[in-house]
Amino acid sequence: MQDLGADGIAAVLRLSDRFVEVAQRAIPKVPALRGRTVATLFSETSTRTRLSFETAARRLSADVVSFSPTGSSIAKGESLRDTVETVAAMGVDCFVVRHACAGVPAQVAGWTGASVVNAGDGWHEHPTQALLDCATIRQVLAERDGRRAEDTGTEAFAGLRVTIVGDVAHSRVARSDVHALAALGASVTLVAPGSLLPPSLAGWPVAAATSDLDAVLPDTDVCYLLRLQTERGAGAFVPSLREYTAGFGLTARRADRLPEHAVILHPGPMVRGVEIAAEVADLPRTAVLRQVANGVAVRMAVLFLLLGAEEVPADA
Ligand code: ASP
């Protein structure tokens, strides 16, 4: 997200509008990437991101192959580089890469002439998550004004008050979202215990960082909750889950402090009862499933921009 910029984000969102429309068709499929092959290489657990990319590729009529270190020759001792080069030699046009280490997708891009999409690298970035979050926010803002997202740009992001709550330190989602939202002119506040904020906010284009969630909620337009990244050791940074929830969980009482128009987002997977109360997860203003649906359209846009023709074909 750091180098995409406001115009790049707007271009992806504009194209994804076309694919939101495709998803509503009886047969939600277009031939745009027929003959192209997309390989998903996920070395960390994933449900929505992997299925979302694979669904996006199939809806564009691309062929999809997928592999993971445990089920591939990496488990036999082959290096990631040799594996990538082997798969690339089979004629893959795009690798979608998730890895526990920051920078691996960039490394893969240096080993192959194929396109590479970062599907989440360690604590670093999760760019398509940020794009689908922007698409969802834009949709909600447009609807609030009685308009369709495709008839709007990104001007409504200017001054939008976004509060990102939780395990910011270990969150690639927070990093990508902060860069995307700041590029579009939103004002982002981080809320976390001091132990879960990055040691320095240099390079984080945010308006403020605080540990007082209750104080920030009434001035929030978008409340974005993060999961505690226990697989990255986050559990050691809070006294207990119960105490974390007491200070930073979006309980029903806290959700009532939000302005009536405020929307609640979460990248998933949600841990009900920890960062979000079960009843808050099910509120109409919680747009989690809408984020998931937009994820497919946004990833179709990303794959199309990388692999497609110059122009969106008339039948797309
Ligand atoms: N699904 C997101 C990610 O892969 C968020 C999370 O796992 O908490 O980063």
Side-chain angles (χ1 to χ4, degrees):
M1 288 310 307
Q2 287 197 44
D3 43 38
L4 192 56
D7 291 344
I9 297 168
V12 175
L13 298 190
R14 267 197 309 276
L15 185 53
S16 75
D17 291 336
R18 309 283 292 269
F19 295 125
V20 167
E21 184 271 312
V22 169
Q24 288 154 0
R25 296 184 192 170
I27 300 174
K29 199 159 178 156
V30 290
L33 296 189
R34 200 159 44 198
R36 304 298 202 134
T37 300
V38 174
T40 56
L41 163 51
F42 276 55
S43 81
E44 264 193 336
T45 52
S46 165
T47 308
R48 76 210 74 228
T49 306
R50 181 178 202 141
L51 290 180
S52 181
F53 269 109
E54 292 179 0
T55 304
R58 290 201 175 95
R59 286 196 177 160
L60 292 167
S61 302
D63 294 315
V64 178
V65 294
S66 60
F67 61 109
S68 57
T70 42
S72 73
S73 46
I74 293 174
K76 295 183 182 171
E78 188 177 63
S79 71
L80 182 63
R81 179 175 186 155
D82 284 331
T83 307
V84 165
E85 286 177 352
T86 301
V87 177
M90 294 175 194
V92 163
D93 300 291
C94 178
F95 286 91
V96 177
V97 180
R98 166 166 292 189
H99 204 280
C101 295
V104 167
Q107 253 184 319
V108 172
W111 298 333
T112 168
S115 300
V116 177
V117 180
N118 181 359
D121 61 331
W123 306 5
H124 178 221
E125 282 237 29
H126 194 351
T128 55
Q129 178 71 50
L131 290 167
L132 73 89
D133 292 334
C134 291
T136 305
I137 294 171
R138 174 168 161 265
Q139 234 175 32
V140 170
L141 295 176
E143 283 169 18
R144 194 177 299 155
D145 292 348
R147 301 165 75 190
R148 298 179 322 158
E150 54 267 44
D151 299 330
T152 66
T154 54
E155 53 293 329
F157 282 82
L160 189 75
R161 298 163 305 172
V162 183
T163 301
I164 299 183
V165 189
D167 184 4
V168 177
H170 302 104
S171 175
R172 55 193 175 209
V173 172
R175 274 176 187 72
S176 287
D177 273 63
V178 162
H179 285 295
L181 291 163
L184 296 178
S187 165
V188 181
T189 298
L190 303 176
V191 181
S195 57
L196 290 177
L197 280 173
S200 156
L201 288 175
W204 287 76
V206 295
T210 171
S211 52
D212 190 347
L213 178 57
D214 288 313
V216 174
L217 290 173
D219 298 318
T220 294
D221 301 311
V222 177
C223 182
Y224 198 105
L225 301 169
L226 301 170
R227 183 177 63 88
L228 267 180
Q229 304 284 295
T230 44
E231 71 275 35
R232 302 185 213 290
F237 292 85
V238 293
S240 69
L241 282 188
R242 188 189 291 239
E243 269 197 58
Y244 175 77
T245 303
F248 302 94
L250 193 66
T251 57
R253 184 185 60 76
R254 285 206 172 105
D256 284 342
R257 293 178 67 82
L258 287 164
E260 211 173 307
H261 67 266
V263 60
I264 298 166
L265 302 181
H266 190 304
M270 287 187 286
V271 187
R272 289 173 184 247
V274 179
E275 71 273 11
I276 186 166
E279 61 268 43
V280 176
D282 296 328
L283 289 175
R285 63 158 81 181
T286 303
V288 171
L289 294 179
R290 192 186 263 232
Q291 287 172 275
V292 175
N294 285 329
V296 176
V298 159
R299 289 173 175 126
M300 287 172 81
V302 168
L303 293 174
F304 184 84
L305 285 168
L306 291 173
L307 302 178
E310 294 287 299
E311 298 287 327
V312 183
D315 58 2

